Amino acid sequence: MAFYGRVKSGISLCNKLGLLSSQRSTLQRSLIAPSISQAFRNFADVPGQKETKIKVPIAMFGGSGNYASALYIAAVKVNAVDKVDSELLQFVEGVKGSPITSQFIKDISVAKDVRVKVIQDIATQAKFSEVTKNFLLLLAENGRLKNVDTIAKRFAELAMAYKGEVKATVTTVIALPPEEENALKQAVQEMLGSGAKVKLEQKIDPSILGGLVLEFSQKVFDMSIKSRAQQMERILREPANYSI
């Protein structure tokens, strides 16, 4: 439990020292992330179904966030969030595994009707749901297929929130042993409250020199040696004030 205590005290220290940061400022978000356009709203509408107010569980910003939010609304309306999440991941992995397809979706010179026809064929052969198929066709029509990987990641965040799950990412120099991983997961769980289920992902980055960087709920707790060294360097560079 010593590691658990160090993590909690480290997060508290981050808050006090101002080392906690959100991924984007509120002003940046308002400038680069307008509300979902009418086109997205139209996509999210289900024909013949009574209009239902769907609240997106996480505020998404930028173009990819808007597309992910629209897809989430459409998927929730037909109770297909898990299925759409799985199909979108399947499509992304398929693109990554095929150099030809990967090049195709990145090539903005491909005519729109060609893009649409190819995606129509892929979605039909893969037996994707109507929501996923129509969404991929929307991306093809709008020339946004090149952003599908980012959109899929944003949608995965929404799908996790829909299921009451929170993704936390911890970056360390070496992999955490199971007992420390569980202690960190417990610390995050306590901060989020009893309703959330934490999914912890480990990343290895020798450049942080030691300590750890913890990210969840669009917050970053930087408890790395690299961050502390940089902070110390800034303090030492400040001119000394010897006045009494």
Side-chain angles (χ1 to χ4, degrees), residues 203-241:
K203 289 185 178 180
I204 305 300
D205 182 4
S207 73
I208 69 170
L209 304 178
L212 59 84
V213 179
L214 179 63
E215 303 173 60
F216 64 92
S217 298
Q218 300 188 44
K219 294 181 176 63
V220 180
F221 297 91
D222 192 340
M223 295 171 274
S224 67
I225 291 178
K226 178 181 179 180
S227 176
R228 294 176 187 175
Q230 289 174 337
Q231 185 188 33
M232 182 62 70
E233 182 182 2
R234 286 195 297 270
I235 293 173
L236 293 176
R237 287 179 179 274
E238 290 178 359
N241 183 1

Side-chain angles (χ1 to χ4, degrees), residues 28-46:
Q28 287 174 315
R29 288 169 177 167
S30 64
L31 290 174
I32 68 174
S35 59
I36 300 174
S37 69
Q38 188 61 46
F40 295 152
R41 295 179 193 275
N42 291 341
F43 165 77
D45 289 341
V46 178

Side-chain angles (χ1 to χ4, degrees), residues 110-235:
V110 177
K112 181 171 73 172
D113 58 338
V114 175
R115 291 197 305 266
V116 170
K117 178 64 169 62
V118 170
I119 295 303
Q120 176 79 52
D121 291 344
I122 291 175
T124 301
Q125 290 175 20
K127 298 181 179 179
F128 286 158
S129 63
E130 284 299 306
V131 172
T132 303
K133 181 175 72 174
N134 291 339
F135 181 73
L136 291 175
L137 290 174
L138 177 68
L139 295 183
E141 289 177 0
N142 293 349
R144 295 287 186 174
L145 284 171
K146 62 182 181 294
N147 304 119
V148 69
D149 189 15
T150 304
I151 294 170
K153 290 176 181 176
R154 299 289 82 78
F155 183 81
E157 292 178 39
L158 294 173
M160 288 183 69
Y162 177 76
K163 294 179 286 187
E165 298 173 348
V166 176
K167 179 182 176 182
T169 304
V170 58
T171 303
T172 53
V173 173
I174 59 174
L176 292 175
E179 62 272 15
E180 293 190 356
E181 182 181 0
N182 290 334
L184 182 59
K185 191 173 179 180
Q186 181 183 348
V188 175
Q189 183 78 62
E190 283 194 9
M191 283 182 283
L192 292 172
S194 58
K197 293 174 285 186
V198 178
K199 284 199 169 184
L200 189 64
E201 175 185 306
Q202 287 198 48
K203 289 185 178 180
I204 305 300
D205 182 4
S207 73
I208 69 170
L209 304 178
L212 59 84
V213 179
L214 179 63
E215 303 173 60
F216 64 92
S217 298
Q218 300 188 44
K219 294 181 176 63
V220 180
F221 297 91
D222 192 340
M223 295 171 274
S224 67
I225 291 178
K226 178 181 179 180
S227 176
R228 294 176 187 175
Q230 289 174 337
Q231 185 188 33
M232 182 62 70
E233 182 182 2
R234 286 195 297 270
I235 293 173

